Amino acid sequence: MDIIREMKNKERFTADDLRKIMEILRSENGCPWDREQTHKSIRQDLLEEAYETAEAIDAESDEMLCEELGDVMLQVMFHSRIAEEQGRFTVDDVYTGVCKKMIERHPHIFGDVEVNSVEDVLTNWDAIKQNSKKRDTLKEQLDGVCKALPSLMLASKYVSKVQKNGIDIKTGVSIDDISEEKIGDLLFDIVAVCKKNGVDAELALQKKCERFLNEITQ
């Protein structure tokens, strides 16, 4: 095929080339593995690529970051291609959606809103986000939090939104002279205790988040 020969001889590629490559791999005469994948079957791959990108950022490695960002882009194109084959949406819809979102949430750039600080930008962003998603009440805001987040991140999101609504969370833990190091030690010790007693710390906190959500939104 001319397109395959063309791809083999190219030195530089674009997003459109990646789209064409994914079409080839998912085609009838393409790769057997790629053809049988679904959104769910490659769900974990997307998560792992995101974490590996974060690792590259922490390592401050341009080479590593460039590669990992490519892997994330591949996942975006992979999912988009699967959706396109099913007539649900295309990667162009993905591009359109995120571009519209960025324009809408930067009215100080694409509109006539004035800001004086980063705090103003963040406040506007959050207000626009809540309004666009119709999340006026605390329950709606909490329901809008991604439940697939790791439990510690999920708990942090819940606590942040509850506190922003002026609600103080009572805890059963009292630590004198709180520091990042001491909190880290405490969290690590909790994981160690869980492991010793056959408890999945991630799952335990996940279930606590579910109970908290139910309690706070009743």
Side-chain angles (χ1 to χ4, degrees):
M1 295 175 62
D2 292 339
I3 184 66
I4 292 179
R5 187 179 305 108
E6 177 187 343
M7 290 296 177
K8 288 176 62 176
N9 294 327
K10 292 191 75 166
E11 291 294 331
R12 301 284 294 179
F13 296 86
T14 66
D16 190 53
D17 289 324
L18 180 57
R19 182 176 188 169
K20 291 176 182 177
I21 289 172
M22 186 50 61
E23 290 176 6
I24 293 171
L25 295 177
R26 292 278 298 179
S27 68
E28 182 178 354
N29 297 317
C31 172
W33 183 88
D34 288 285
R35 286 205 314 268
E36 69 179 17
Q37 299 313 307
T38 65
H39 289 304
K40 289 187 176 180
S41 71
I42 58 174
R43 174 185 181 276
Q44 188 63 29
D45 294 338
L46 177 57
L47 292 174
E48 290 179 2
E49 298 301 355
Y51 281 120
E52 288 176 3
T53 300
E55 181 182 26
I57 293 172
D58 294 339
E60 299 183 351
S61 168
D62 289 345
E63 180 180 0
M64 186 177 174
L65 180 57
C66 183
E67 178 181 355
E68 298 304 338
L69 287 173
D71 289 341
V72 171
M73 290 177 65
L74 171 61
Q75 290 300 311
V76 172
M77 199 66 73
F78 208 151
H79 282 282
S80 297
R81 180 59 194 171
I82 293 172
E84 183 173 359
E85 292 168 359
Q86 298 170 354
R88 295 159 59 191
F89 62 83
T90 71
V91 72
D92 290 332
D93 294 318
V94 175
Y95 292 146
T96 298
V98 73
C99 286
K100 285 184 175 180
K101 179 187 295 185
M102 295 306 289
I103 292 171
E104 178 188 34
R105 295 189 185 176
H106 290 82
H108 53 291
I109 302 297
F110 299 99
D112 54 8
V113 172
E114 294 186 6
V115 296
N116 298 311
S117 65
V118 172
E119 287 71 23
D120 288 346
V121 172
L122 296 177
T123 298
N124 287 340
W125 176 285
D126 193 52
I128 295 170
K129 178 179 179 180
Q130 300 305 334
N131 183 61
S132 66
K133 295 182 179 295
K134 303 297 187 293
R135 294 172 183 167
D136 299 321
T137 67
L138 175 58
K139 182 181 186 306
E140 290 170 337
Q141 293 173 26
L142 292 174
D143 285 341
V145 175
C146 176
K147 306 302 185 296
L149 288 172
S151 61
L152 196 58
M153 292 177 66
L154 181 61
S156 180
K157 288 280 189 180
Y158 282 164
V159 170
S160 177
K161 290 188 178 296
V162 167
Q163 289 179 339
K164 282 183 179 180
N165 279 267
I167 300 176
D168 183 36
I169 299 176
K170 304 298 182 183
T171 69
V173 178
S174 178
I175 305 176
D176 295 328
D177 188 26
I178 293 179
S179 68
E180 183 180 85
E181 183 177 356
K182 287 187 177 181
I183 293 297
D185 290 342
L186 178 60
L187 290 172
F188 190 89
D189 289 347
I190 290 173
V191 172
V193 170
C194 287
K195 200 68 174 177
K196 186 179 295 184
N197 290 275
V199 176
D200 186 325
E202 175 70 18
L203 182 59
L205 183 54
Q206 188 80 37
K207 290 183 176 179
K208 168 58 183 177
C209 286
E210 293 174 4
R211 295 196 301 273
F212 176 79
L213 180 61
N214 292 330
E215 293 166 1
I216 204 72
T217 57
Q218 284 182 352

